[in-house]
Amino acid sequence: MSRDRTVDVLVVGAGPAGLALAARLAGAGAGHVEVLEREQDAGGVPRHCHHGGFGGPVRPWLTGPAYARRAVRAATAAGATVRTGVSATGWAGPLTLETTSPAGPERITARAVVLATGARERPRSARLVPGSRPAGVLTTGELQQSVHLYGQDVGRRAVVVGAEPVARHAVRTLRRAGTEVVAVVTERPRAAAVPGVPLLTATTVAELRGRGRLSGVAVRHEDGRCGVLACDTVVFTGDWIPDHELARRGGVALDPGTRGPSVDASFRTSTAGVFAVGNALHGVEPAATAAAEGEAAAAPILARLSGAPWPDAGPPLAVRAPLLWVAPNRLKDLGGRPMLLRSDEPLTAPVLTAAQDGRLLWRRRFPVRATPSRSMRLPAGWTDRVDRSGGPVVLAVG
Amino acid sequence: MTVSTTATTVTTGGALPGGEYDVTVVGAGVVGAAIARELARLPLRIALVDASDDVGDGTSKANTAILHTGFDAVPDSLESRLVREGHRLLSAYAAESGIPVEPLGALLVAWDEEQAAALPGLADKAERNGYRAARIIAAEEVRAREPELGPGALGGLHVPGESIICPWTTTLAYATQAVRAGVDLHLNCRVQKVTSGATHTLATSRGPLRTRHLVNAAGLYADEIDRLLGHADFAVTPRRGQLIVFDELARDLVRHVLLPVPSALGKGVLVSPTVYGNVMLGPTAEDLDDKTDTGSTAEGLALLREKGRRILPALLEEEVTAVYAGLRAATGDDDYAIRAHPAQRYVTVGGIRSTGLTASMAIAAHVVELLADGGLPVAGARELEPVRMPNLGEAFLRPYRDAELIARDPEYGRIVCHCERVTRGEIRDALASTVPPGSPDGLRRRTRARGGRCQGFHCGAAVRSLFEEART
Ligand SMILES: Cc1cc2nc3c(=O)[nH]c(=O)nc-3n(C[C@H](O)[C@H](O)[C@H](O)COP(=O)(O)OP(=O)(O)OC[C@H]3O[C@@H](n4cnc5c(N)ncnc54)[C@H](O)[C@@H]3O)c2cc1C
Ligand SMILES: Cc1cc2nc3c(=O)[nH]c(=O)nc-3n(C[C@H](O)[C@H](O)[C@H](O)COP(=O)(O)OP(=O)(O)OC[C@H]3O[C@@H](n4cnc5c(N)ncnc54)[C@H](O)[C@@H]3O)c2cc1C
């Protein structure tokens, strides 16, 4: 028999976003704040990022594990309950989650539920890379865990696919494991090279080869040149997708661009009482960004606990190519926080526009270079001009 | 290395046992394993050998997993009879053994006038195959039954008896039951040569093996084994079928097995739920020369996506979980190539192309009869101890949801593979089972671990570590 329990706030996922939120909420006296983490240890992705660069440069940069430990300590010290080895597997009601743990199944009902489930990299299969199905095909997430958490052998010669910053972390982890990195391969026309590793741009992975173990990666350059990189390991990096299973199973509306729950500036989803924060919203951003979202969600959640109404859905915020996504992406609550905006192509000093029903709301030149691997920050002031009963607001370059 | 628990024998290396086996089955695919299981009922010394490190590692692991009624077989063929019987036998066996089966029914959808015109012929063919429940339905009913179907369906044939099944558990159940009943399973054991006289001596990659009767269930290589015994009456052409498996979140998009109207080029591309809760799109049909080429190709995947977009447009928006390919053992003939050579005490089970999973138990019964014709003593058959397999089916109670089970053993509440919700208890059990996995992929086929949408981003290292731990 499942046990039934009630808490005030139930946070799913003890990564930087969920933990930062729990710390803030518990500290503000939100009552019983419980964080569920399916892994044996709390902390999220930073647990297996054994490199510096976490937190903020004001404080000394921390390594991932140190950052994770600190986040867990802060949440528990503030009075939140962090339960590990507990998976949220589905819904038993609009604000009731089903969970599984060694203690058995449970149904936990909360006054507010927060999805802080993070993101993952699309694996080889989702990228439809043809060829055989040998061992030695990884994502950065699996690579880092193999090396840093389990001390496993990851092969002698590796190819890294992708040009986002995480590709550099993959190279570093491989080298730490004593694996030679043969090349970094990306379809993008330009990318930052990692010192000492050949960078193949405008190049696609055409086929994986090998029986049993990977023996090589066939690549094709845009200009038609082909070749095979001999290797026994390939790491597919970047290409993020939010872990949105719970959101979808709960009928929470997703944004077509981010593939994460669609939220307003107060992190409210389409389901009353359900919030979402962190990489679950948009794929990977720096941990500090995820944590900041968690912190910023505390105030609207406290408001919800004290009875604030769930506002009606306003117009959605959509993007036009080469823009990929924007988050938050509902305009029902015109908050003051900047929005994150991603482009699929590098843009130099782009002019961004926002229009609604053919009416130009806003237009501004961005004095920056936008790259596909970093989000731009879009100020929110112009959103005053949105007609809240109008059609979708479209962001475009031009 | 011999794993011998409570008198069961599974070997994966070293020399083979001496003496003479009464019967040896070459090939531990679904067909060979079914034959070994059927033989296990007899008081005989039996061996099942396979070149691979696991059972069901050939064609049997990579098919579309449909338990066919045989409605579209060639009437009066051996295949028609064995598929019909096999459907009945395996349905009953699955229920008894805990092999997941979902009786969804199939819908053949006609997308143009020519296909619509072919439906009455198909309904008639079904009748001739002894299947009477197929019914032609109008476009409106097709749409009502499958609301997400792409536009333009003109009508369909409803075949309520078609089901989906777990192919991995099926092979494993047969092999487990055979081994527990005393059959010796020798893995990593490739048959390279056969010398025949009063007994057959098989030269294998692990040394000689002597046997009085021989069954060739070597799948794609059945023609090659046949030649070792002096027969050349068929040749196997590998016909590749590539498939795309979509995420479990796509499962609500489809309710039946959606079959195309078959054409001269074969059964065509279908969309089907799987018992694991995914949706599958495929297979292609490409004749190859290379019997090991189970790779996917850019062209194959593009073709599948194009076909899939027509059938179920929303499916193409979903995440892809896996891509794989299987090779059918095509022979250029329209029927199975099951041949008895009684004087040689030898039976060939070849050309088991696209229905072997369904027909497996009926093929096994048929083969034992043929062996009897060659002098195999078949008296003293007994009932086998039933097996109860771990449930991999999403439509049935999985351990992570089973409160009583977790109360007895908390390891069933410790999820290791999050996407597929596989627990440490299940992984532990599989690693200690009668026929343990030979690789992490074998572990996946027994538990689903690492088979989900993240393909190991979250759990890959943990699962590998549990596998390695059990091996040392
Ligand atoms: C390889 C890699 C390298 C990185 N390097 C850096 C860096 O150098 N600097 C930096 O600032 N950022 C870095 N990041 C980004 C940073 O790790 C993330 O921004 C941050 O972890 C996001 O936090 P989150 O809480 O949103 O998600 P996550 O950290 O992913 O946490 C989500 C948590 O939710 C849990 N969960 C999910 N579903 C369930 C469920 N159903 N039930 C229970 N629990 C669940 C997961 O197990 C996980 O622990 C890196 C990310 C990766 C992948
Ligand atoms: C794409 C596709 C879709 C299909 N869909 C369905 C379906 O929906 N329903 C259905 O009923 N059927 C289906 N089938 C057919 C079914 O999968 C096959 O008929 C069945 O798996 C054949 O089993 P088998 O045991 O004959 O061959 P295999 O599974 O290939 O087994 C043969 C075994 O012999 C071993 N072997 C070969 N040579 C040697 C040697 N020299 N020494 C030792 N061992 C050797 C191999 O290692 C292998 O394990 C499909 C097939 C394909 C390819």
PDB file of all heavy atoms in Angstrom, chain A residues 39 100 122 125 131 142 145-146 152 211 243 245 248 259, chain B residues 292 296 317-319 321 400 418 421 450 453 458 461 464:
ATOM      1  N   GLU A  39      18.933  10.351  -7.244  1.00  0.00           N
ATOM      2  CA  GLU A  39      20.281   9.787  -7.077  1.00  0.00           C
ATOM      3  C   GLU A  39      20.548   9.531  -5.589  1.00  0.00           C
ATOM      4  O   GLU A  39      19.859  10.061  -4.731  1.00  0.00           O
ATOM      5  CB  GLU A  39      21.334  10.749  -7.631  1.00  0.00           C
ATOM      6  CG  GLU A  39      21.185  11.062  -9.118  1.00  0.00           C
ATOM      7  CD  GLU A  39      21.512   9.871 -10.020  1.00  0.00           C
ATOM      8  OE1 GLU A  39      22.107   8.889  -9.543  1.00  0.00           O
ATOM      9  OE2 GLU A  39      21.145   9.925 -11.205  1.00  0.00           O
ATOM     10  N   THR A 100       8.901   6.575  -5.628  1.00  0.00           N
ATOM     11  CA  THR A 100       9.415   5.245  -5.265  1.00  0.00           C
ATOM     12  C   THR A 100      10.753   5.411  -4.564  1.00  0.00           C
ATOM     13  O   THR A 100      11.583   6.203  -5.005  1.00  0.00           O
ATOM     14  CB  THR A 100       9.605   4.382  -6.516  1.00  0.00           C
ATOM     15  OG1 THR A 100       8.334   3.999  -7.022  1.00  0.00           O
ATOM     16  CG2 THR A 100      10.402   3.116  -6.185  1.00  0.00           C
ATOM     17  N   ARG A 122      21.351  15.084 -25.688  1.00  0.00           N
ATOM     18  CA  ARG A 122      20.772  14.095 -26.601  1.00  0.00           C
ATOM     19  C   ARG A 122      21.845  13.076 -26.960  1.00  0.00           C
ATOM     20  O   ARG A 122      22.939  13.442 -27.363  1.00  0.00           O
ATOM     21  CB  ARG A 122      20.252  14.753 -27.864  1.00  0.00           C
ATOM     22  CG  ARG A 122      18.917  15.436 -27.665  1.00  0.00           C
ATOM     23  CD  ARG A 122      18.208  15.666 -28.983  1.00  0.00           C
ATOM     24  NE  ARG A 122      16.913  16.286 -28.751  1.00  0.00           N
ATOM     25  CZ  ARG A 122      16.748  17.586 -28.538  1.00  0.00           C
ATOM     26  NH1 ARG A 122      17.781  18.395 -28.554  1.00  0.00           N
ATOM     27  NH2 ARG A 122      15.557  18.078 -28.326  1.00  0.00           N
ATOM     28  N   SER A 125      21.586   8.180 -30.553  1.00  0.00           N
ATOM     29  CA  SER A 125      20.371   7.717 -31.234  1.00  0.00           C
ATOM     30  C   SER A 125      19.434   8.875 -31.544  1.00  0.00           C
ATOM     31  O   SER A 125      18.881   8.957 -32.635  1.00  0.00           O
ATOM     32  CB  SER A 125      19.664   6.671 -30.374  1.00  0.00           C
ATOM     33  OG  SER A 125      19.553   7.117 -29.042  1.00  0.00           O
ATOM     34  N   GLY A 131      24.957   3.961 -38.488  1.00  0.00           N
ATOM     35  CA  GLY A 131      26.106   3.075 -38.315  1.00  0.00           C
ATOM     36  C   GLY A 131      25.805   1.912 -37.405  1.00  0.00           C
ATOM     37  O   GLY A 131      24.652   1.615 -37.115  1.00  0.00           O
ATOM     38  N   GLU A 142      27.623  10.824 -19.067  1.00  0.00           N
ATOM     39  CA  GLU A 142      28.082   9.465 -18.776  1.00  0.00           C
ATOM     40  C   GLU A 142      29.597   9.420 -18.636  1.00  0.00           C
ATOM     41  O   GLU A 142      30.134   8.736 -17.768  1.00  0.00           O
ATOM     42  CB  GLU A 142      27.620   8.494 -19.868  1.00  0.00           C
ATOM     43  CG  GLU A 142      28.050   7.064 -19.573  1.00  0.00           C
ATOM     44  CD  GLU A 142      27.407   6.018 -20.470  1.00  0.00           C
ATOM     45  OE1 GLU A 142      26.649   6.375 -21.378  1.00  0.00           O
ATOM     46  OE2 GLU A 142      27.689   4.835 -20.243  1.00  0.00           O
ATOM     47  N   GLN A 145      30.651  10.806 -15.208  1.00  0.00           N
ATOM     48  CA  GLN A 145      30.343   9.876 -14.124  1.00  0.00           C
ATOM     49  C   GLN A 145      31.268   8.668 -14.175  1.00  0.00           C
ATOM     50  O   GLN A 145      31.756   8.209 -13.143  1.00  0.00           O
ATOM     51  CB  GLN A 145      28.888   9.423 -14.220  1.00  0.00           C
ATOM     52  CG  GLN A 145      27.914  10.550 -13.987  1.00  0.00           C
ATOM     53  CD  GLN A 145      26.499  10.046 -13.781  1.00  0.00           C
ATOM     54  OE1 GLN A 145      26.256   9.149 -12.967  1.00  0.00           O
ATOM     55  NE2 GLN A 145      25.556  10.604 -14.512  1.00  0.00           N
ATOM     56  N   SER A 146      31.511   8.150 -15.393  1.00  0.00           N
ATOM     57  CA  SER A 146      32.379   6.978 -15.524  1.00  0.00           C
ATOM     58  C   SER A 146      33.744   7.266 -14.930  1.00  0.00           C
ATOM     59  O   SER A 146      34.296   6.454 -14.195  1.00  0.00           O
ATOM     60  CB  SER A 146      32.551   6.601 -16.996  1.00  0.00           C
ATOM     61  OG  SER A 146      31.319   6.326 -17.579  1.00  0.00           O
ATOM     62  N   GLN A 152      36.118   4.370 -14.117  1.00  0.00           N
ATOM     63  CA  GLN A 152      36.097   3.352 -15.182  1.00  0.00           C
ATOM     64  C   GLN A 152      37.020   3.741 -16.338  1.00  0.00           C
ATOM     65  O   GLN A 152      37.312   4.911 -16.554  1.00  0.00           O
ATOM     66  CB  GLN A 152      34.662   3.158 -15.703  1.00  0.00           C
ATOM     67  CG  GLN A 152      33.770   2.450 -14.704  1.00  0.00           C
ATOM     68  CD  GLN A 152      32.292   2.578 -15.035  1.00  0.00           C
ATOM     69  OE1 GLN A 152      31.903   3.290 -15.956  1.00  0.00           O
ATOM     70  NE2 GLN A 152      31.468   1.907 -14.242  1.00  0.00           N
ATOM     71  N   ARG A 211      32.412  -3.404 -34.524  1.00  0.00           N
ATOM     72  CA  ARG A 211      31.577  -4.454 -33.919  1.00  0.00           C
ATOM     73  C   ARG A 211      32.082  -4.675 -32.513  1.00  0.00           C
ATOM     74  O   ARG A 211      33.291  -4.724 -32.321  1.00  0.00           O
ATOM     75  CB  ARG A 211      31.759  -5.748 -34.680  1.00  0.00           C
ATOM     76  CG  ARG A 211      31.178  -5.634 -35.955  1.00  0.00           C
ATOM     77  CD  ARG A 211      30.912  -6.818 -36.770  1.00  0.00           C
ATOM     78  NE  ARG A 211      30.516  -6.240 -38.036  1.00  0.00           N
ATOM     79  CZ  ARG A 211      29.390  -5.569 -38.206  1.00  0.00           C
ATOM     80  NH1 ARG A 211      28.504  -5.475 -37.227  1.00  0.00           N
ATOM     81  NH2 ARG A 211      29.113  -5.020 -39.353  1.00  0.00           N
ATOM     82  N   ASP A 243      14.829  17.548 -18.954  1.00  0.00           N
ATOM     83  CA  ASP A 243      14.185  16.317 -18.475  1.00  0.00           C
ATOM     84  C   ASP A 243      12.741  16.684 -18.142  1.00  0.00           C
ATOM     85  O   ASP A 243      12.428  17.071 -17.021  1.00  0.00           O
ATOM     86  CB  ASP A 243      14.932  15.761 -17.257  1.00  0.00           C
ATOM     87  CG  ASP A 243      16.000  14.758 -17.676  1.00  0.00           C
ATOM     88  OD1 ASP A 243      15.800  14.081 -18.705  1.00  0.00           O
ATOM     89  OD2 ASP A 243      17.038  14.664 -17.006  1.00  0.00           O
ATOM     90  N   GLU A 245       9.946  14.766 -18.507  1.00  0.00           N
ATOM     91  CA  GLU A 245       8.984  13.663 -18.417  1.00  0.00           C
ATOM     92  C   GLU A 245       7.863  13.941 -17.422  1.00  0.00           C
ATOM     93  O   GLU A 245       6.684  13.803 -17.741  1.00  0.00           O
ATOM     94  CB  GLU A 245       9.684  12.354 -18.044  1.00  0.00           C
ATOM     95  CG  GLU A 245       8.649  11.240 -17.837  1.00  0.00           C
ATOM     96  CD  GLU A 245       9.217   9.855 -17.615  1.00  0.00           C
ATOM     97  OE1 GLU A 245      10.452   9.736 -17.534  1.00  0.00           O
ATOM     98  OE2 GLU A 245       8.417   8.914 -17.518  1.00  0.00           O
ATOM     99  N   ARG A 248       5.419  16.530 -18.670  1.00  0.00           N
ATOM    100  CA  ARG A 248       4.482  16.033 -19.677  1.00  0.00           C
ATOM    101  C   ARG A 248       3.488  15.061 -19.095  1.00  0.00           C
ATOM    102  O   ARG A 248       2.304  15.088 -19.428  1.00  0.00           O
ATOM    103  CB  ARG A 248       5.245  15.367 -20.817  1.00  0.00           C
ATOM    104  CG  ARG A 248       5.810  16.381 -21.763  1.00  0.00           C
ATOM    105  CD  ARG A 248       6.372  15.729 -23.000  1.00  0.00           C
ATOM    106  NE  ARG A 248       5.342  15.118 -23.840  1.00  0.00           N
ATOM    107  CZ  ARG A 248       5.610  14.535 -25.005  1.00  0.00           C
ATOM    108  NH1 ARG A 248       6.859  14.498 -25.437  1.00  0.00           N
ATOM    109  NH2 ARG A 248       4.649  14.010 -25.722  1.00  0.00           N
ATOM    110  N   ARG A 259      11.408  23.090 -25.184  1.00  0.00           N
ATOM    111  CA  ARG A 259      11.000  21.723 -24.833  1.00  0.00           C
ATOM    112  C   ARG A 259      10.870  21.532 -23.330  1.00  0.00           C
ATOM    113  O   ARG A 259      10.720  20.405 -22.846  1.00  0.00           O
ATOM    114  CB  ARG A 259      11.957  20.696 -25.409  1.00  0.00           C
ATOM    115  CG  ARG A 259      11.936  20.634 -26.917  1.00  0.00           C
ATOM    116  CD  ARG A 259      10.952  19.577 -27.303  1.00  0.00           C
ATOM    117  NE  ARG A 259      10.726  19.501 -28.724  1.00  0.00           N
ATOM    118  CZ  ARG A 259       9.905  18.597 -29.244  1.00  0.00           C
ATOM    119  NH1 ARG A 259       9.273  17.770 -28.481  1.00  0.00           N
ATOM    120  NH2 ARG A 259       9.701  18.559 -30.527  1.00  0.00           N
TER     121      ARG A 259
ATOM    122  N   THR B 292      26.625  -9.647 -41.418  1.00  0.00           N
ATOM    123  CA  THR B 292      26.874  -9.005 -40.124  1.00  0.00           C
ATOM    124  C   THR B 292      26.485  -7.525 -40.151  1.00  0.00           C
ATOM    125  O   THR B 292      26.650  -6.825 -39.161  1.00  0.00           O
ATOM    126  CB  THR B 292      28.367  -9.091 -39.742  1.00  0.00           C
ATOM    127  OG1 THR B 292      29.129  -8.353 -40.711  1.00  0.00           O
ATOM    128  CG2 THR B 292      28.852 -10.528 -39.706  1.00  0.00           C
ATOM    129  N   SER B 296      22.713   0.970 -39.204  1.00  0.00           N
ATOM    130  CA  SER B 296      21.681   1.807 -39.814  1.00  0.00           C
ATOM    131  C   SER B 296      22.360   2.732 -40.818  1.00  0.00           C
ATOM    132  O   SER B 296      23.567   2.936 -40.769  1.00  0.00           O
ATOM    133  CB  SER B 296      20.968   2.620 -38.738  1.00  0.00           C
ATOM    134  OG  SER B 296      21.912   3.321 -37.953  1.00  0.00           O
ATOM    135  N   GLU B 317       7.730  14.410 -34.107  1.00  0.00           N
ATOM    136  CA  GLU B 317       8.104  15.488 -33.181  1.00  0.00           C
ATOM    137  C   GLU B 317       8.682  14.928 -31.883  1.00  0.00           C
ATOM    138  O   GLU B 317       9.205  15.671 -31.062  1.00  0.00           O
ATOM    139  CB  GLU B 317       6.880  16.351 -32.833  1.00  0.00           C
ATOM    140  CG  GLU B 317       6.237  17.038 -34.018  1.00  0.00           C
ATOM    141  CD  GLU B 317       7.234  17.919 -34.748  1.00  0.00           C
ATOM    142  OE1 GLU B 317       7.925  18.706 -34.069  1.00  0.00           O
ATOM    143  OE2 GLU B 317       7.330  17.787 -35.990  1.00  0.00           O
ATOM    144  N   GLU B 318       8.543  13.641 -31.689  1.00  0.00           N
ATOM    145  CA  GLU B 318       8.970  13.046 -30.414  1.00  0.00           C
ATOM    146  C   GLU B 318      10.464  12.704 -30.445  1.00  0.00           C
ATOM    147  O   GLU B 318      11.047  12.535 -31.504  1.00  0.00           O
ATOM    148  CB  GLU B 318       8.157  11.785 -30.133  1.00  0.00           C
ATOM    149  CG  GLU B 318       6.665  12.046 -29.967  1.00  0.00           C
ATOM    150  CD  GLU B 318       6.335  12.810 -28.695  1.00  0.00           C
ATOM    151  OE1 GLU B 318       7.158  12.801 -27.755  1.00  0.00           O
ATOM    152  OE2 GLU B 318       5.245  13.420 -28.645  1.00  0.00           O
ATOM    153  N   GLU B 319      11.039  12.573 -29.264  1.00  0.00           N
ATOM    154  CA  GLU B 319      12.448  12.213 -29.158  1.00  0.00           C
ATOM    155  C   GLU B 319      12.659  10.763 -29.573  1.00  0.00           C
ATOM    156  O   GLU B 319      11.812   9.910 -29.311  1.00  0.00           O
ATOM    157  CB  GLU B 319      12.923  12.378 -27.706  1.00  0.00           C
ATOM    158  CG  GLU B 319      12.960  13.813 -27.228  1.00  0.00           C
ATOM    159  CD  GLU B 319      14.059  14.629 -27.900  1.00  0.00           C
ATOM    160  OE1 GLU B 319      15.207  14.165 -27.963  1.00  0.00           O
ATOM    161  OE2 GLU B 319      13.751  15.741 -28.367  1.00  0.00           O
ATOM    162  N   THR B 321      14.565   7.305 -29.070  1.00  0.00           N
ATOM    163  CA  THR B 321      15.263   6.586 -28.007  1.00  0.00           C
ATOM    164  C   THR B 321      16.347   5.671 -28.568  1.00  0.00           C
ATOM    165  O   THR B 321      17.421   5.562 -28.016  1.00  0.00           O
ATOM    166  CB  THR B 321      14.251   5.750 -27.204  1.00  0.00           C
ATOM    167  OG1 THR B 321      13.323   6.646 -26.611  1.00  0.00           O
ATOM    168  CG2 THR B 321      14.933   4.940 -26.126  1.00  0.00           C
ATOM    169  N   TYR B 400       9.154  -1.367  -9.436  1.00  0.00           N
ATOM    170  CA  TYR B 400       9.246  -0.067  -8.769  1.00  0.00           C
ATOM    171  C   TYR B 400       7.907   0.433  -8.248  1.00  0.00           C
ATOM    172  O   TYR B 400       7.860   1.335  -7.423  1.00  0.00           O
ATOM    173  CB  TYR B 400       9.885   0.972  -9.703  1.00  0.00           C
ATOM    174  CG  TYR B 400       8.949   1.597 -10.706  1.00  0.00           C
ATOM    175  CD1 TYR B 400       8.254   2.772 -10.395  1.00  0.00           C
ATOM    176  CD2 TYR B 400       8.746   1.028 -11.950  1.00  0.00           C
ATOM    177  CE1 TYR B 400       7.397   3.341 -11.315  1.00  0.00           C
ATOM    178  CE2 TYR B 400       7.897   1.593 -12.868  1.00  0.00           C
ATOM    179  CZ  TYR B 400       7.217   2.752 -12.545  1.00  0.00           C
ATOM    180  OH  TYR B 400       6.353   3.306 -13.443  1.00  0.00           O
ATOM    181  N   HIS B 418      16.851   5.558 -14.510  1.00  0.00           N
ATOM    182  CA  HIS B 418      15.682   6.396 -14.226  1.00  0.00           C
ATOM    183  C   HIS B 418      14.693   6.433 -15.375  1.00  0.00           C
ATOM    184  O   HIS B 418      13.484   6.466 -15.157  1.00  0.00           O
ATOM    185  CB  HIS B 418      16.130   7.803 -13.873  1.00  0.00           C
ATOM    186  CG  HIS B 418      17.099   7.836 -12.740  1.00  0.00           C
ATOM    187  ND1 HIS B 418      16.763   7.429 -11.474  1.00  0.00           N
ATOM    188  CD2 HIS B 418      18.396   8.200 -12.689  1.00  0.00           C
ATOM    189  CE1 HIS B 418      17.819   7.559 -10.675  1.00  0.00           C
ATOM    190  NE2 HIS B 418      18.831   8.020 -11.401  1.00  0.00           N
ATOM    191  N   ARG B 421      13.128   3.122 -15.280  1.00  0.00           N
ATOM    192  CA  ARG B 421      12.726   2.763 -13.919  1.00  0.00           C
ATOM    193  C   ARG B 421      13.124   1.325 -13.548  1.00  0.00           C
ATOM    194  O   ARG B 421      12.299   0.538 -13.082  1.00  0.00           O
ATOM    195  CB  ARG B 421      11.222   2.901 -13.757  1.00  0.00           C
ATOM    196  CG  ARG B 421      10.692   4.212 -14.318  1.00  0.00           C
ATOM    197  CD  ARG B 421       9.600   4.727 -13.471  1.00  0.00           C
ATOM    198  NE  ARG B 421       8.771   5.710 -14.095  1.00  0.00           N
ATOM    199  CZ  ARG B 421       9.148   6.960 -14.358  1.00  0.00           C
ATOM    200  NH1 ARG B 421      10.378   7.372 -14.086  1.00  0.00           N
ATOM    201  NH2 ARG B 421       8.313   7.813 -14.891  1.00  0.00           N
ATOM    202  N   ARG B 450      19.388   1.023 -19.084  1.00  0.00           N
ATOM    203  CA  ARG B 450      20.174   1.790 -20.041  1.00  0.00           C
ATOM    204  C   ARG B 450      19.530   1.790 -21.425  1.00  0.00           C
ATOM    205  O   ARG B 450      20.154   2.173 -22.399  1.00  0.00           O
ATOM    206  CB  ARG B 450      21.585   1.201 -20.152  1.00  0.00           C
ATOM    207  CG  ARG B 450      22.647   2.169 -20.604  1.00  0.00           C
ATOM    208  CD  ARG B 450      23.957   1.423 -20.814  1.00  0.00           C
ATOM    209  NE  ARG B 450      25.069   2.334 -21.005  1.00  0.00           N
ATOM    210  CZ  ARG B 450      25.308   2.944 -22.157  1.00  0.00           C
ATOM    211  NH1 ARG B 450      24.520   2.773 -23.187  1.00  0.00           N
ATOM    212  NH2 ARG B 450      26.344   3.755 -22.254  1.00  0.00           N
ATOM    213  N   ARG B 453      15.542   6.864 -22.876  1.00  0.00           N
ATOM    214  CA  ARG B 453      15.788   8.055 -23.686  1.00  0.00           C
ATOM    215  C   ARG B 453      17.168   8.657 -23.445  1.00  0.00           C
ATOM    216  O   ARG B 453      17.725   9.261 -24.344  1.00  0.00           O
ATOM    217  CB  ARG B 453      14.704   9.103 -23.423  1.00  0.00           C
ATOM    218  CG  ARG B 453      14.631   9.617 -21.999  1.00  0.00           C
ATOM    219  CD  ARG B 453      13.559  10.695 -21.858  1.00  0.00           C
ATOM    220  NE  ARG B 453      12.227  10.100 -21.900  1.00  0.00           N
ATOM    221  CZ  ARG B 453      11.568   9.669 -20.830  1.00  0.00           C
ATOM    222  NH1 ARG B 453      12.100   9.767 -19.629  1.00  0.00           N
ATOM    223  NH2 ARG B 453      10.372   9.135 -20.955  1.00  0.00           N
ATOM    224  N   HIS B 458      22.453   9.462 -17.503  1.00  0.00           N
ATOM    225  CA  HIS B 458      22.294   9.404 -16.044  1.00  0.00           C
ATOM    226  C   HIS B 458      22.832   8.112 -15.431  1.00  0.00           C
ATOM    227  O   HIS B 458      23.460   8.150 -14.393  1.00  0.00           O
ATOM    228  CB  HIS B 458      20.820   9.553 -15.661  1.00  0.00           C
ATOM    229  CG  HIS B 458      20.245  10.900 -15.974  1.00  0.00           C
ATOM    230  ND1 HIS B 458      20.725  12.055 -15.414  1.00  0.00           N
ATOM    231  CD2 HIS B 458      19.241  11.279 -16.804  1.00  0.00           C
ATOM    232  CE1 HIS B 458      20.030  13.092 -15.873  1.00  0.00           C
ATOM    233  NE2 HIS B 458      19.127  12.650 -16.714  1.00  0.00           N
ATOM    234  N   ALA B 461      27.098   4.735 -16.310  1.00  0.00           N
ATOM    235  CA  ALA B 461      28.267   4.368 -15.514  1.00  0.00           C
ATOM    236  C   ALA B 461      27.848   3.461 -14.348  1.00  0.00           C
ATOM    237  O   ALA B 461      28.523   2.476 -14.042  1.00  0.00           O
ATOM    238  CB  ALA B 461      28.968   5.620 -14.991  1.00  0.00           C
ATOM    239  N   ARG B 464      27.020  -0.049 -15.710  1.00  0.00           N
ATOM    240  CA  ARG B 464      28.241  -0.768 -16.087  1.00  0.00           C
ATOM    241  C   ARG B 464      28.980  -1.258 -14.851  1.00  0.00           C
ATOM    242  O   ARG B 464      29.505  -2.362 -14.809  1.00  0.00           O
ATOM    243  CB  ARG B 464      29.135   0.132 -16.939  1.00  0.00           C
ATOM    244  CG  ARG B 464      29.914  -0.650 -17.989  1.00  0.00           C
ATOM    245  CD  ARG B 464      30.625   0.202 -19.015  1.00  0.00           C
ATOM    246  NE  ARG B 464      30.896   1.544 -18.597  1.00  0.00           N
ATOM    247  CZ  ARG B 464      30.293   2.607 -19.078  1.00  0.00           C
ATOM    248  NH1 ARG B 464      29.391   2.485 -20.018  1.00  0.00           N
ATOM    249  NH2 ARG B 464      30.581   3.804 -18.634  1.00  0.00           N
TER     250      ARG B 464
END
